[in-house]
Amino acid sequence: MKFSLINTFFFILALGAVGCGAESSVDPAPNPSPTSPPAATADILANPNVTHQEMIGFGGALTWWSDRIVSSPKSEEIYALIFDDLEIDILRLKNWYYPSDYPNNKSPEQMVSNGDLTMFNATNVFYEKAKTRNPDIEVMLSSWGPPAALKSNNNLREGTLRKVGDRFMYTEFAQYWEDILDNIAFSPDYLSIQNEPGYVNAGWTTCAWAATENEAMAGYDKAIESVWEKIKNRAEVPKLIGPETENQTAWSNFMPFLAQKDYISHYGWHPYNFNEGTQIEHTDLWLGDIKTRFGNKPNIMTEYSNMSWFKTGRFIHRSLTLANASAYVYWELVWGDPNRTDFPLINIDASGNYNTTGYYHLIKHFSKFIHKGYRRIEVTSSITSLEVSAYINPAGTQVTYVILNPDSRELDYKIKVKDKVVSGLKGFQSTEGIYFQEIKNLSPDSSIKITQNSITTIVADI
């Protein structure tokens, strides 16, 4: 969410070590047995005849630390982990276009700081590496704020859009976005004009917006419309996603003014009103409201990492099944802060050395076998405590199940698909500390054991 970790508003967890070494492999552990006697038995039945949202996929944000990746002597290993092993379908990048003396100078070779220039160039390189590994990956570009010349306080940090006389600088702001798209080395698939428009912080680039203009603050609604009018005739036009609000309160403030805007193609949201102390069931009401009130367009969870390992899995499940999220973008794809090493998918130090964590494997349970174009389908379990979602590929030949067991019991279950014959199964299971273990000797009739607080991915050929 943010670069500085001094502000502890969002990060109140007590962190423990869950890193699993410098490679993506884990220590050998017994394979979950498909034949052990069950404590309880469940039938898990997917129904391809009842479909829900079309998926964009799963991914992560690389807003800082791309410079460490591209300069790392192990960069190819890191690219392989992200794009070949995780197989992510969506990538969120940060805008680093802040030319010195903008708008008089628009050259990215002369930035406000050498750090901005380094990150600008590294982001361009990382994008090219991503597209080389996966030409179909979709990229979202999000901005933390406009340049100082367009800010009310002449500073990248805090403030709102500058006002001249009785007019906020919406036209100039739209031109800034035209200049961004003219000067970065890629064309993003999605564009977000402001990360968390209701939030400001003195520690890093932010900009405060009101949902609609008032005397003191510029209106997000006018700003995004101005940007659209400026860029809509470009040869390559990114989809506008908004409002990327920071929490439920901001979402409620901004969304009523954006929901009917035709030029906004996707809704984006951050759930930082939740944390490790939140009972997972207490997330259900808001997630359900996202679908109920704003289900007219696809929505994407574009930034979050604020819960423990298994609880994060349960929250992803709810985002997909209650909010009907079409994509889930984990916040810390790669992170370089030595004081926060548990939550990132991949940690990287100043020398380019890295290690994966349990969260890497948690996201892999979703990202590896669910991709763009898949559809979430109806699925039921005879044991209601299991949290299950299912997804069918575009060809209709494969169903992916993601199964979480928060039950106090070890359970056995069998995989079924309504009106279809299951011809083959493969599966992987994780518990915290023992990750992505292949379930051996699976057949279509196997009874599969699932332990408490585990996440299991089953891929059924039909």
Side-chain angles (χ1 to χ4, degrees), residues 34-273:
T35 58
S36 299
T41 303
D43 285 336
I44 296 178
L45 176 66
N47 184 356
N49 302 316
V50 181
T51 61
H52 300 287
Q53 74 269 33
E54 182 175 338
M55 299 303 297
I56 296 168
F58 299 86
L62 186 66
T63 49
W64 283 270
W65 316 111
S66 55
D67 58 328
R68 291 189 179 183
I69 299 173
V70 301
S71 64
S72 170
K74 300 179 179 180
S75 60
E76 291 301 318
E77 295 176 22
I78 300 172
Y79 298 141
L81 284 172
I82 295 171
F83 303 114
D84 302 339
D85 188 42
L86 283 183
E87 296 187 31
I88 65 171
D89 290 310
I90 184 168
L91 180 66
R92 182 176 182 240
L93 301 177
K94 181 183 182 296
N95 168 44
W96 289 98
Y97 178 72
Y98 294 108
S100 177
D101 193 33
Y102 180 88
N104 298 317
N105 165 53
K106 297 186 178 183
S107 170
E109 296 305 315
Q110 302 173 39
M111 291 287 199
V112 169
S113 72
N114 289 333
D116 286 352
L117 180 59
T118 297
M119 296 304 298
F120 179 88
N121 290 332
T123 299
N124 288 337
V125 171
F126 188 82
Y127 172 88
E128 289 301 324
K129 294 293 185 179
K131 281 292 187 179
T132 299
R133 294 275 183 170
N134 178 8
D136 295 324
I137 196 168
E138 293 195 303
V139 174
M140 174 184 174
L141 182 67
S142 183
S143 181
W144 267 239
L150 303 186
K151 295 287 292 297
S152 60
N153 59 353
N154 200 37
N155 196 311
L156 289 176
R157 303 177 180 189
E158 302 180 293
T160 186
L161 192 67
R162 185 184 295 274
K163 191 175 187 180
V164 179
D166 61 353
R167 182 187 69 85
F168 287 100
M169 298 178 72
Y170 299 116
T171 301
E172 293 83 352
F173 180 70
Q175 181 60 53
Y176 172 65
W177 274 101
E178 178 93 329
D179 295 335
I180 291 173
L181 296 175
D182 284 344
N183 283 281
I184 60 177
F186 58 91
S187 181
D189 299 281
Y190 303 92
L191 186 155
S192 171
I193 68 166
Q194 178 64 54
N195 173 66
E196 300 183 351
Y199 178 81
V200 293
N201 188 285
W204 54 84
T205 299
T206 51
C207 184
W209 302 80
T212 61
E213 180 184 310
N214 58 46
E215 184 64 27
M217 293 178 66
Y220 180 94
D221 58 342
K222 287 187 177 181
I224 196 168
E225 184 165 3
S226 296
V227 171
W228 173 250
E229 290 298 324
K230 188 67 177 178
I231 70 171
K232 67 181 183 181
N233 294 319
R234 294 179 63 88
E236 295 180 281
V237 184
K239 303 178 184 73
L240 287 190
I241 183 170
E244 279 209 289
T245 46
E246 59 274 17
N247 55 36
Q248 180 179 1
T249 300
W251 171 267
S252 299
N253 290 339
F254 280 77
M255 278 304 296
F257 303 100
L258 300 179
Q260 305 306 319
K261 304 295 185 182
D262 292 339
Y263 49 80
I264 297 176
S265 66
H266 293 66
Y267 303 136
W269 50 277
H270 302 171
Y272 283 105
N273 42 296

Side-chain angles (χ1 to χ4, degrees), residues 264-441:
I264 297 176
S265 66
H266 293 66
Y267 303 136
W269 50 277
H270 302 171
Y272 283 105
N273 42 296
F274 304 131
N275 55 50
E276 180 59 20
T278 305
Q279 292 185 31
I280 195 65
E281 295 79 8
H282 290 176
T283 68
D284 293 359
L285 185 62
W286 181 41
L287 295 176
D289 187 63
I290 291 174
K291 171 186 173 183
T292 300
R293 295 181 61 201
F294 304 107
N296 62 318
K297 295 177 184 178
N299 75 83
I300 302 176
M301 200 300 295
T302 61
E303 180 188 315
Y304 189 63
S305 57
N306 210 19
M307 291 178 179
S308 56
W309 181 82
F310 187 65
K311 196 168 191 177
T312 296
R314 298 185 73 189
F315 183 75
I316 296 173
H317 168 78
R318 282 166 158 76
S319 299
L320 299 169
T321 60
L322 298 179
N324 266 12
S326 293
Y328 193 99
V329 182
Y330 192 83
W331 171 224
E332 294 145 304
L333 175 62
V334 180
W335 204 250
D337 193 312
N339 297 311
R340 186 175 171 86
T341 59
D342 288 354
F343 283 95
L345 304 190
I346 299 172
N347 292 304
I348 190 167
D349 66 20
S351 298
N353 298 310
Y354 70 91
N355 71 281
T356 59
T357 74
Y359 288 87
Y360 173 92
H361 301 282
L362 173 64
I363 296 301
K364 186 176 175 181
H365 272 283
F366 295 91
S367 65
K368 185 74 172 177
F369 301 109
I370 305 166
H371 295 292
K372 181 181 178 181
Y374 280 54
R375 277 199 175 271
R376 187 171 70 86
I377 60 176
E378 194 71 15
V379 62
T380 56
S381 169
S382 58
I383 296 181
T384 57
S385 59
L386 287 177
E387 297 176 352
V388 188
S389 58
Y391 310 81
I392 192 166
N393 69 345
T397 58
Q398 199 171 76
V399 175
T400 300
Y401 303 75
V402 183
I403 306 158
L404 294 103
N405 179 21
D407 200 291
S408 60
R409 301 167 294 172
E410 183 177 86
L411 303 172
D412 270 35
Y413 58 90
K414 289 189 175 183
I415 291 295
K416 298 181 179 180
V417 182
K418 184 177 176 63
D419 299 329
K420 301 289 183 180
V421 175
V422 176
S423 59
L425 292 177
K426 62 181 175 182
F428 303 86
Q429 189 173 115
S430 295
T431 55
E432 191 162 8
I434 304 175
Y435 301 115
F436 221 76
Q437 299 295 295
E438 185 176 1
I439 304 174
K440 302 291 188 180
N441 303 317

